[in-house]
């Protein structure tokens, strides 16, 4: 029997996470490899009680959920063929959404690029439109190339605009029957738009986390 003064904190199955953690060493006794996984399993149980946005956080628009997972694509950036991989996931107790993109030129894999994008709901909780989105763009060109963006949900996806010194970059994300499309258009000061990048994304399994092996 487990004497736990906080036994009332229940998670799935009717048993507190304290109790479930206390039982893990008994279940894994005699198996060194599994015992090494105990801290990870314990943190998983702890996260079950913590994976929720702070009170007052602006909800994320539902259209962002379509990005979740891992993706691969062939596309073009300024008419240069590239391959790209994407990993997108909720972060910060599901209050925001992060996307990491890695790409390389098809003709020269040493010609690489990386971007880190963050998305979230815009405005205040009381007044924000459920379709309004705020975003931040950072990439391998460094801090001076970062930009804050804003946009909204549209039919079939969402649009985000990022501004630099000379152009507005309009990112159009759309769901399709086969996956996602990501199109980037550059709009100059006179309003003229030119294609900048285009990707057709297919969902793929995310990489399996490294398995902890027996220590020597």
């Amino acid at each position: 029997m487990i004497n736990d003064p906080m036994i009332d904190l229940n998670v799935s199955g009717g048993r507190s996470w304290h109790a479930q953690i206390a039982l893990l060493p008994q279940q894994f006794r005699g198996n060194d490899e599994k015992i090494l996984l105990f801290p990870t399993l314990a943190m998983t149980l702890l996260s079950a009680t913590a994976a929720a946005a702070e009170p007052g956080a602006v909800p994320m628009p539902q259209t962002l959920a379509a990005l979740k997972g891992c993706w691969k694509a062939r596309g073009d950036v300024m008419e240069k063929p590239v391959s790209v991989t994407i990993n997108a996931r909720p972060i910060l107790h599901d209050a925001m959404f992060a996307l990491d993109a890695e790409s390389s030129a098809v003709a020269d894999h040493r010609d690489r690029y990386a971007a880190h994008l963050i998305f979230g709901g815009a405005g205040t909780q009381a007044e924000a439109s459920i379709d309004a989105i705020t975003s931040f763009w950072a990439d391998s060109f460094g801090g001076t190339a970062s930009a804050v963006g804003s946009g909204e949900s549209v039919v079939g996806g969402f649009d985000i605009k990022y501004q630099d010194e000379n152009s507005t970059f309009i990112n159009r994300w759309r769901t399709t029957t086969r996956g996602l499309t990501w199109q980037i258009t550059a709009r100059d000061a006179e309003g003229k738009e030119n294609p900048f990048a285009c990707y057709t994304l297919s969902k793929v399994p995310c990489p399996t986390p490294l398995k902890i092996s027996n220590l020597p």
Side-chain angles (χ1 to χ4, degrees):
M1 183 174 180
I2 300 171
N3 294 320
D4 191 334
M6 300 185 73
I7 200 71
D8 57 327
L9 294 179
N10 292 324
V11 293
S12 60
R15 180 183 289 140
S16 75
W17 59 265
H18 297 79
Q20 294 190 46
I21 292 174
L23 290 175
L24 286 173
Q26 300 175 20
Q27 297 168 357
F28 295 157
R29 188 172 294 134
N31 189 322
D32 293 339
E33 183 173 339
K34 289 183 178 179
I35 287 176
L36 288 173
L37 295 175
F38 169 68
T40 300
L41 293 169
M43 290 306 298
T44 299
L45 291 172
L46 289 171
S47 66
T49 64
E54 298 291 339
V58 178
M60 285 194 301
Q62 290 298 312
T63 51
L64 295 175
L67 300 179
K68 185 177 180 180
C70 297
W71 307 82
K72 283 189 175 182
R74 284 291 182 97
D76 294 281
V77 178
M78 301 177 66
E79 300 183 351
K80 177 175 63 178
V82 299
S83 60
V84 61
T85 60
I86 287 176
N87 185 320
R89 65 222 175 268
I91 59 171
L92 304 176
H93 298 175
D94 294 340
M96 305 276 293
F97 208 92
L99 182 150
D100 289 297
E102 297 270 355
S103 69
S104 60
V106 173
D108 182 1
H109 293 295
R110 295 171 298 179
D111 182 1
R112 301 185 301 165
Y113 172 79
H116 178 71
L117 282 60
I118 296 178
F119 304 98
T124 65
Q125 188 182 44
E127 301 174 352
S129 165
I130 59 173
D131 295 326
I133 300 172
T134 185
S135 182
F136 179 78
W137 180 296
D139 63 22
S140 46
F141 284 102
T144 57
S146 62
V148 174
S150 62
E152 62 183 357
S153 300
V154 297
V155 176
F158 63 94
D159 295 343
I160 301 285
K161 297 177 182 179
Y162 304 92
Q163 181 72 46
D164 74 359
E165 294 181 358
N166 303 310
S167 302
T168 300
F169 290 89
I170 306 167
N171 288 240
R172 297 180 173 96
W173 295 86
R174 298 291 185 271
T175 58
T176 70
T177 56
R178 296 184 178 182
L180 291 173
T181 61
W182 178 15
Q183 296 180 331
I184 304 176
T185 301
R187 179 187 294 165
D188 63 22
E190 298 178 355
K192 182 181 179 180
E193 294 190 7
N194 291 298
F196 182 82
C198 181
Y199 310 97
T200 300
L201 302 159
S202 299
K203 204 162 194 178
V204 296
C206 289
T208 303
L210 293 176
K211 185 177 181 180
I212 301 176
S213 59
N214 289 332
L215 295 176

